[in-house]
Amino acid sequence: MRPTAEVEYEQLLLSRHGYLARGGGRRQDGLMDRSAYLLLSRIAVQDAPMSIGELSEAFGLDASTLNRQTAAATRAGLIERIPDPAGGMARKFRLTREGERQLAEERDGLITSLDRVMEDWPEADIAAFAGYLRRFNTDIERLSGRSWPRP
């Protein structure tokens, strides 16, 4: 099997694991929808409110999809629509305190799950794995023309 075929297969297997998506046994009623988690994470890492157009460009999704996602997150009290702080015409979205709280809780749960999965891994292996994932993601971002800010 070609190495890239192995990567494809392992990526397939990773995407099917409910363990991380479910937080490794955390309460299911406390889970954030995956699209909300991605949306809130993007706004949070941007460290500035974002318009539908900016979100559409960041995710490579059409505005109608982002309108549905932001509407759901707004109804859930996770984000709010505000006037553009820079004075532009477009309204922008920012996280609410509840959105910040739920995002932090979700992220902490996912990190706890990863800690369990990699509990027997040496720190150097975890760091190397993180480095390979970062390299993989930044190369995808380079090819797609859509970078994701990193903290």
Side-chain angles (χ1 to χ4, degrees), residues 27-38:
R27 297 184 349 254
Q28 268 197 277
D29 62 347
L31 291 176
M32 184 178 288
D33 175 84
R34 184 180 185 283
S35 64
Y37 180 71
L38 290 170

Side-chain angles (χ1 to χ4, degrees), residues 22-81:
R22 303 257 183 269
R26 292 184 303 124
R27 297 184 349 254
Q28 268 197 277
D29 62 347
L31 291 176
M32 184 178 288
D33 175 84
R34 184 180 185 283
S35 64
Y37 180 71
L38 290 170
L39 177 68
L40 269 64
S41 293
R42 183 59 170 94
I43 295 170
V45 76
Q46 186 72 26
D47 201 26
M50 295 180 75
S51 68
I52 287 290
E54 291 166 332
L55 290 166
S56 178
E57 185 176 315
F59 286 105
L61 297 172
D62 61 85
S64 64
T65 300
L66 269 305
N67 276 319
R68 284 190 300 276
Q69 291 179 359
T70 55
T74 301
R75 280 192 307 275
L78 303 174
I79 60 173
E80 60 187 347
R81 232 181 149 138

